[in-house]
């Protein structure tokens, strides 16, 4: 039996996946978690073979869960489920140690096959997403510009961003201005939206 952990903050999706996987003769859902922190703790307690985690969860997101499990429980392979697949997210997921990356809109039996594949030592990436990744534009922003832009969501005041990043207000404004210029938009709000749409944030 392949022991599986399911982590998703939406209970309906989590229980539906558990019921679907419960129909497979070689898969057993041994634990469930409603947020990323609980996913890591539950995995350490139950030691599943494969953890299926949602990309967007409270406490820790799927990428952070993947990285934490790669370090603390390398025998547990991680499959990330996502409602939207952006090529940069795929790269970040693989860099974080995930062995599978699957859109939530995939056919019903696909998840069980992906679990079997990663448990056997393979990898799985949705073919359409892999094709998109080959043609996706590279992010023109530096890691520091991305960090400042991420904190600029919802018109966060420059002083607050400066405090959180331990930078001066002028430096924060320079990073935001550089992001706006590089992305060819007219405001930091537009820069944030464009970077989010491309999956850079």
């Amino acid at each position: 039996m392949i022991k599986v952990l399911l982590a998703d903050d939406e209970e309906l999706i989590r229980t539906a996946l558990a019921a679907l996987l419960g129909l497979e003769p070689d898969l057993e859902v041994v634990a469930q978690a409603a947020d990323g922190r609980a996913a890591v703790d539950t995995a350490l307690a139950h030691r599943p073979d494969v953890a299926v985690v949602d990309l967007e969860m409270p406490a820790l997101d799927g990428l952070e869960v993947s990285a934490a499990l790669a370090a603390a429980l390398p025998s547990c392979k991680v499959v990330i489920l996502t409602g939207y697949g952006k090529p940069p997210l795929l790269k970040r997921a693989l860099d974080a140690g995930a062995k599978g990356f699957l859109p939530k809109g995939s056919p019903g039996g696909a998840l069980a096959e992906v679990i079997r594949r990663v448990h056997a030592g393979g990898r799985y990436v949705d073919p359409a997403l892999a094709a998109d990744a080959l043609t996706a534009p590279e992010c023109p922003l530096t890691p520091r510009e991305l960090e400042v832009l991420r904190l600029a969501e919802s018109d966060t005041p420059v002083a607050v961003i400066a405090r959180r990043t331990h930078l001066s207000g002028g430096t924060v404004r320079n990073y935001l201005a550089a992001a706006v210029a590089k992305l060819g938009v007219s405001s930091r709000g537009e820069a944030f939206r464009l970077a989010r749409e491309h999956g850079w944030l």
Side-chain angles (χ1 to χ4, degrees):
M1 292 291 282
I2 301 173
K3 296 184 295 181
V4 179
L5 161 70
L6 294 176
D8 195 308
D9 58 318
E10 295 184 47
E11 185 177 359
L12 183 61
I13 291 174
R14 198 172 64 245
T15 54
L17 288 175
L20 187 67
L21 295 178
L23 300 174
E24 302 291 333
D26 57 338
L27 304 180
E28 179 187 6
V29 176
V30 295
Q32 298 183 36
D35 66 59
R37 175 67 61 203
V40 173
D41 294 343
T42 304
L44 294 175
H46 292 270
R47 305 186 77 78
D49 300 306
V50 178
V52 177
V53 302
D54 186 21
L55 178 65
E56 292 194 346
M57 291 186 292
L60 298 175
D61 66 21
L63 301 178
E64 293 166 321
V65 170
S66 186
L69 291 180
L73 190 64
S75 62
C76 178
K77 312 297 189 228
V78 175
V79 174
I80 293 182
L81 289 179
T82 179
Y84 60 98
K86 298 288 184 184
L89 288 176
L90 168 59
K91 183 177 184 333
R92 287 168 47 205
L94 297 176
D95 288 346
K99 300 300 181 189
F101 196 84
L102 188 67
K104 286 184 177 178
S106 300
L111 180 58
E113 288 306 314
V114 171
I115 290 170
R116 292 183 186 104
R117 182 182 294 192
V118 300
H119 179 254
R123 284 188 172 195
Y124 179 84
V125 173
D126 176 69
L129 185 58
D132 288 346
L134 294 174
T135 58
E138 286 291 317
C139 178
L141 306 181
T142 66
R144 198 61 150 163
E145 288 165 351
L146 283 171
E147 177 190 11
V148 169
L149 188 59
R150 187 176 292 113
L151 292 172
E153 182 182 16
S154 304
D155 293 327
T156 305
V158 168
V160 173
I161 298 170
R163 197 166 44 251
R164 290 180 184 166
T165 55
H166 306 289
L167 298 170
S168 72
T171 302
V172 168
R173 279 189 283 277
N174 288 341
Y175 280 131
L176 289 173
V180 167
K182 286 180 179 180
L183 296 179
V185 294
S186 59
S187 71
R188 72 182 201 177
E190 287 180 41
F192 178 87
R193 281 190 294 279
L194 185 62
R196 172 59 68 79
E197 284 171 12
H198 280 90
W200 298 330
L201 292 177

